[in-house]
Amino acid sequence: MGLDYYEILEVDKNATDEELKKAYKRLAMKWHPDKNPNNKKEAETQFILIAEAYEVLSDPQKRAIFDRYGEGGLKGGPPPSNADLDPFSFFQSRGGATTFRFNPRNANNIFAEVFGSSSPFGGMGMGYGGCGSGIRGGSWVSRSFGGMFGNDVFGEGRPMNQGPRRKAPPIENTLLCSLEELYKGTTRKMKISREITHASGRTLPLEEILNIEIQPGWKKGTKITFPEKGNVQPNVIAADLVFIIDEKCHNVFTRDGNDLVVTKKILHQEAEDLTGYTIQLTTLDGRPLTIAINNVIDSDYEEVIAGEGMPISKDPSKKGNLRIKFNFEFPDLVDATAESQN
């Protein structure tokens, strides 16, 4: 299915030149890549389509070809064999086939011609901006164009009689993180692929790299949401993309809230003779840690080292505790179990 330039500009087929220019200005300002730094790929795609639609519909000859033969006729598809081609001198015969050569112009050039600048942050040739203008931070844009369009040029510009768009349900993905990553914090880069379907029916692929800033102390179940990063479809608000933190198992530490737990195995006979017992550990940030146990160890004993647990996400300068538990093994029982398995 070919592009419908009227749908792209959101105008009807009887739109005047003035209505076409007004629609182009509104949509070009909305989708200019400079106005969409966090959504640049999608904006570039829409910006190019809008410029192409305006170029065709604002030119009487191109518009006439499009009205009769559609996008295919414009871009090289032969018109019907019984068509009267006399009014269309821009069809060229080559090898017996009659086609029309149309290569869309650069979208930035069209924008510059209409506005007087290639960027929505430029002067636009409207007498705004520049030294001594008193206009700051780009707020001149709404003032200079808002009255022209009768509303906010950065709004959706949806027809008054069109109902509210529904929001697509969120897309959830598990993000598996090591305890080291959740201890120190890290940046994970995720490549996503999605599709943008225009009202014309044309679907364009879009790839994007998302940076996920994992903060120290985040727990399993923490959600990171990227608004409206799902597939783009007409009359549907794109789904939010949600990553849900999960924790990998660690070979030394177990997490319990903000605490880290280590379980040491000790033969019961050894425990009776323990004096000045020390434990050597490497922390999640790579520091060697030596812990001296000076108390009597039994099955209920737990050594607690304050401030050596996980960072507390609301205040990473504070940490939970490191708790060392002891798992007693009885040699006779261990030997009996081993013999029964042989």
Side-chain angles (χ1 to χ4, degrees):
M1 181 179 180
L3 292 172
D4 187 328
Y5 293 126
Y6 293 103
E7 287 189 8
I8 291 173
L9 284 186
E10 300 176 5
V11 296
D12 62 41
K13 292 189 176 181
N14 297 317
T16 64
D17 289 344
E18 182 179 352
E19 290 170 335
L20 291 172
K21 182 174 285 189
K22 180 178 177 180
Y24 170 76
K25 285 182 173 180
R26 172 175 58 80
L27 293 170
M29 288 296 293
K30 173 184 174 183
W31 287 107
H32 196 289
D34 288 353
K35 295 296 298 179
N36 296 270
N38 297 323
N39 199 23
K40 204 154 191 174
K41 289 294 185 182
E42 179 183 351
E44 287 173 354
T45 300
Q46 298 289 357
F47 186 70
I48 291 170
L49 286 174
I50 292 161
E52 181 178 323
Y54 178 69
E55 179 184 2
V56 170
L57 298 183
S58 63
D59 183 294
Q61 290 182 320
K62 294 184 181 74
R63 185 172 180 175
I65 291 291
F66 174 74
D67 286 344
R68 180 173 294 192
Y69 305 118
E71 182 197 10
L74 273 172
K75 296 183 177 178
S81 58
N82 60 350
D84 178 8
L85 301 179
D86 292 340
F88 306 115
S89 59
F90 25 87
F91 277 95
Q92 297 185 355
S93 296
R94 177 177 293 179
T98 304
T99 61
F100 175 66
R101 287 182 175 179
F102 169 60
N103 295 312
R105 295 170 55 210
N106 184 281
N108 286 324
N109 292 343
I110 294 174
F111 187 95
E113 287 180 9
V114 175
F115 287 102
S117 172
S118 61
S119 169
F121 301 110
M124 299 293 189
M126 301 290 289
Y128 293 92
C131 296
S133 67
I135 307 300
R136 298 178 182 175
S139 59
W140 64 270
V141 176
S142 293
R143 287 201 287 275
S144 59
F145 294 106
M148 183 188 306
F149 299 140
N151 57 11
D152 181 3
V153 296
F154 302 115
E156 288 294 321
R158 294 170 59 76
M160 294 295 291
N161 60 351
Q162 186 170 337
R165 295 182 297 168
R166 65 178 179 86
K167 174 86 172 182
I171 302 169
E172 295 187 343
N173 296 273
T174 298
L175 183 61
L176 197 58
C177 300
S178 67
L179 275 183
E180 285 84 356
E181 289 175 318
L182 297 174
Y183 183 93
K184 295 181 289 187
T186 189
T187 299
R188 296 278 289 272
K189 294 183 179 294
M190 305 293 291
K191 184 177 182 180
I192 63 170
S193 299
R194 56 189 182 131
E195 294 180 343
I196 299 175
T197 303
H198 199 271
S200 64
R202 170 169 287 191
T203 299
L204 300 173
L206 178 65
E207 291 187 344
E208 188 174 353
I209 302 294
L210 301 180
N211 289 326
I212 304 177
E213 301 293 339
I214 297 171
Q215 301 301 314
W218 274 4
K219 297 177 180 178
K220 178 178 180 177
T222 300
K223 294 184 178 182
I224 310 101
T225 300
F226 291 88
E228 300 181 18
K229 288 295 184 181
N231 293 335
V232 178
Q233 298 174 319
N235 301 321
V236 178
I237 300 174
D240 294 341
L241 185 57
V242 182
F243 292 94
I244 304 174
I245 296 292
D246 199 1
E247 298 174 357
K248 294 180 182 178
C249 293
H250 198 274
N251 60 352
V252 175
F253 299 100
T254 302
R255 186 173 184 174
D256 183 9
N258 293 319
D259 291 349
L260 290 172
V261 180
V262 174
T263 301
K264 301 295 292 184
K265 292 183 179 181
I266 298 178
L267 293 177
H268 187 266
Q269 185 176 356
E270 294 176 344
E272 294 176 352
D273 301 325
L274 283 178
T275 56
Y277 182 62
T278 59
I279 298 173
Q280 304 288 339
L281 292 173
T282 301
T283 62
L284 291 173
D285 56 353
R287 293 176 292 113
L289 193 62
T290 300
I291 303 160
I293 309 294
N294 297 316
N295 297 313
V296 177
I297 299 174
D298 59 29
S299 59
D300 296 324
Y301 181 74
E302 184 176 282
E303 183 79 11
V304 178
I305 298 91
E308 288 292 352
M310 292 293 292
I312 298 172
S313 59
K314 293 182 180 179
D315 184 0
S317 65
K318 299 178 180 178
K319 296 187 175 97
N321 298 325
L322 172 61
R323 292 155 40 201
I324 302 175
K325 297 183 176 182
F326 298 91
N327 181 17
F328 287 89
E329 293 185 350
F330 295 86
D332 295 341
L333 182 59
V334 171
D335 294 341
T337 303
E339 289 178 1
S340 65
Q341 293 176 347
N342 292 332

